[in-house]
Amino acid sequence: MDSNVSSSSPSAPGRSLVSAKVVVAGGFGAGKTTLVTSVSEIPPVSTEAVMTEASEQHDDLSSTPDKVTTTVAMDFGRLTLEQELIMYMFGTPGQARFWFMWDDIVRGAVGAVIVVDSRRLADCFEAIDYFETNQSAPYIVALNRFDDQLPYTVDQIREALEINPEIPIVDFDARDRNSAGGVLKTLLRYALSRPREADPAA
């Protein structure tokens, strides 16, 4: 696949479009909404709500002091790759009080990107546990570079999060379209490389 992210365009004559659903998950303030917004070729649908004083009792704002909104349902965006594949992106809410919606959001997805703020590794533990348990949805880990740097190496983070060696871990800038698009392509490559589970109805 080309390293650049393609913009929306019609498929070539005689070629059919294939669609894929992917989930963008992770902890509070990790950069999920930013990723979806930066790569979506349509105006993204977002359920960002202004944070209130009540949120301060639930959400740790020490590493994100400038954050004034939060996702309360989901984000949605669309990206066309290689003029044949349409990717529909569904971003999950990061706060624990909204996790009851995750099962519905993840259902039918080919895989998930877990966005991680490496300054707050503990915030992604629950997301990783969720996808480790939900074996039907493969996942990769994407380390969002805040201030254009990572405080730890990929190997150190893999060890800290106890991520299996075969699961890709990539670093990226959620604000950059090509960087974020590269993360989604990595997920698709990984999902396609995994053996398909047998159809229980067969």
Side-chain angles (χ1 to χ4, degrees):
M1 294 184 181
D2 193 290
S3 60
N4 292 323
V5 178
S6 302
S7 58
S8 178
S9 58
S11 60
R15 295 182 178 179
S16 59
L17 287 173
V18 176
S19 63
K21 175 183 179 181
V22 299
V23 172
V24 180
F28 169 75
K32 303 180 296 297
T33 298
T34 303
L35 187 158
V36 173
T37 301
S38 67
V39 299
S40 181
E41 64 197 15
I42 62 173
V45 177
S46 180
T47 56
E48 291 277 288
V50 176
M51 299 185 67
T52 64
E53 292 182 2
S55 299
E56 297 177 2
Q57 301 176 15
H58 303 279
D59 304 318
D60 180 9
L61 300 177
S62 58
S63 296
T64 56
D66 298 326
K67 187 172 178 61
V68 295
T69 61
T70 185
T71 301
V72 296
M74 69 174 185
D75 299 313
F76 174 78
R78 187 188 74 191
L79 176 64
T80 302
L81 295 174
E82 306 297 329
Q83 300 184 13
E84 298 174 29
L85 172 63
I86 298 178
M87 184 182 299
Y88 295 102
M89 300 168 286
F90 292 79
T92 66
Q95 304 93 320
R97 61 187 182 278
F98 297 124
W99 287 348
F100 66 90
M101 293 184 284
W102 280 36
D103 286 347
D104 288 333
I105 295 174
V106 172
R107 187 174 293 113
V110 299
V113 174
I114 299 179
V115 182
V116 174
D117 179 351
S118 56
R119 304 168 301 177
R120 299 178 289 125
L121 291 180
D123 289 359
C124 70
F125 288 166
E126 289 84 358
I128 291 174
D129 286 344
Y130 178 90
F131 287 100
E132 284 286 349
T133 302
N134 187 359
Q135 297 292 332
S136 64
Y139 73 91
I140 68 169
V141 174
L143 308 175
N144 192 8
R145 292 195 298 265
F146 285 87
D147 299 323
D148 201 30
Q149 58 183 334
L150 293 175
Y152 307 102
T153 67
V154 169
D155 289 339
Q156 288 173 327
I157 292 174
R158 184 183 297 278
E159 181 177 358
L161 299 180
E162 299 182 345
I163 302 296
N164 291 332
E166 69 271 13
I167 295 175
I169 298 180
V170 296
D171 68 283
F172 80 116
D173 184 340
R175 301 165 300 178
D176 182 84
R177 178 179 172 83
N178 285 331
S179 182
V183 170
L184 297 173
K185 290 182 178 182
T186 298
L187 171 63
L188 287 179
R189 292 190 189 101
Y190 176 60
L192 291 173
S193 71
R194 288 166 51 90
R196 293 186 177 182
E197 297 182 359
D199 187 346

